[in-house]
Each structure stands twice: as structure tokens, then as C-alpha cells.
Amino acid sequence: MKINPIILFFAIIIITACHQQNAEKSIIKETASSKVKVCKMFQSDFVLLNPNEEGHLIQEFRFNKKGFVNELIRYGMDGEIIGRFDILGEHTPFPMPGKPEFVDTVLTVVNFDEGGNIKGKEIKMYNTLGLLIQVEFYEGDSNLVNKNTYTYDKQNMILEDIYWDVDLDKPKQKIRYKFEYFMN
């Protein structure tokens, strides 16, 4: 059996391109999540009135060089530190790339009362990279009471956690994330 050289050439190009793309993704994931030094969270409460408001600093997470959170600092409305907590463990409190929970999935959790009636449900949606992109909370089977959406940057680091006014179908509050990285 003779293989057409043109088909072989294109197959090699496609395989090489896919391998290069996967290598680039793993480099981005490694440099983004394992090099985080500080994650600062800013809260803006009046997004309906001013969608571009940066908000005020509410807390920051400090990471060790292994990529784990080791300190949490909370701030008051005046910008002063109101709490400082040492954290030991190997977990982060928000999505980080490279550790997908569910990939391209919609996960529904239904809560029932004693009579077997639906008391409420929670629907979580994940993108193809395994990052949480939306959560909806329902009272009963179909009364939407809360909705959050999440946006990420090109390195799949979380940028915004958006709380929606479900009646107006508009953002009402945003938590913005800003990262500082260790320099090698």
C-alpha cells in the first residue's frame, strides 16, 4: 500500500500543530496558576449604575511558591485590615486553571422537602476547560432567585464573579480579581 506524500505531509502538520497547541496550553497553565503571589479581590456594589467601577478592596489571598494559599487578609470599607488569617492546606478558594472539576458539563442538584416536593435546585455550568461559568439557584422547580456568572482571562485565571439582578437580567454586583505573580 502506497501512502500519498501530500496526505502524509498534511497529517504531520496537523499532528505537530495539535502537539504545539497542547504544549502552549500546559505552559500557560503552569506559569499562570503556579506563579501567583497575591490575588486581590475588589467588590463593586452598584454595577447597575456604573458598570466600570473598579470597586473597593475586600480581601486578598497570598500564595506560597508551591501555588497554595497560605494567608487571607480581609479589608473594611475604609481600606483598613479587619482580619488576617493563616491558612494551611493545598486548596484555593476560587477556580484555578489546570484543575478542572467538570468539563463541558451542566450539573443539577435538586433538594426535596419531606413530602418529596422540589424545595430548590442549583444548576452549575462548566466550559470545555472545566472552569465554572454560571450558577443558577432556584426556589422550587422553576423560580430563579439568584444567578452568578464567571469570566476568565486568556490564561484561564478568574477575572470577574458577577452577581445578577434576576428580575432585570442585569449585573448588580461584581467581584473583580487582580493577580500579582512571583518574579523568577
Side-chain angles (χ1 to χ4, degrees), residues 101-102 104-109 121-127 131-138 148 150:
E101 189 174 358
F102 300 98
D104 202 13
T105 303
V106 175
L107 178 66
T108 303
V109 176
K121 67 181 177 181
E122 177 181 312
I123 300 175
K124 291 184 177 182
M125 293 169 229
Y126 298 84
N127 66 13
L131 298 170
L132 182 65
I133 56 172
Q134 184 169 302
V135 179
E136 296 176 342
F137 299 93
Y138 290 84
N148 293 35
Y150 306 87

Side-chain angles (χ1 to χ4, degrees), residues 60-154:
E60 68 180 75
F61 292 94
R62 296 194 177 202
F63 293 74
N64 62 25
K65 290 193 175 188
K66 292 181 181 179
F68 302 126
V69 174
N70 61 5
E71 184 178 22
L72 167 63
I73 302 170
R74 293 218 169 121
Y75 296 90
M77 293 296 291
D78 59 359
E80 297 294 320
I81 294 174
I82 59 172
R84 186 175 232 129
F85 309 93
D86 288 333
I87 299 173
L88 299 175
E90 298 182 357
H91 301 285
T92 59
F94 42 84
M96 293 292 274
K99 298 175 180 137
E101 189 174 358
F102 300 98
V103 177
D104 202 13
T105 303
V106 175
L107 178 66
T108 303
V109 176
V110 180
N111 298 313
F112 297 95
D113 64 15
E114 298 81 21
N117 301 311
I118 296 176
K119 188 165 87 173
K121 67 181 177 181
E122 177 181 312
I123 300 175
K124 291 184 177 182
M125 293 169 229
Y126 298 84
N127 66 13
T128 56
L129 299 172
L131 298 170
L132 182 65
I133 56 172
Q134 184 169 302
V135 179
E136 296 176 342
F137 299 93
Y138 290 84
E139 187 178 83
D141 186 39
S142 59
N143 183 26
L144 180 64
V145 291
N146 287 317
K147 175 176 134 179
N148 293 35
T149 57
Y150 306 87
T151 61
Y152 301 88
D153 67 11
K154 291 180 182 178

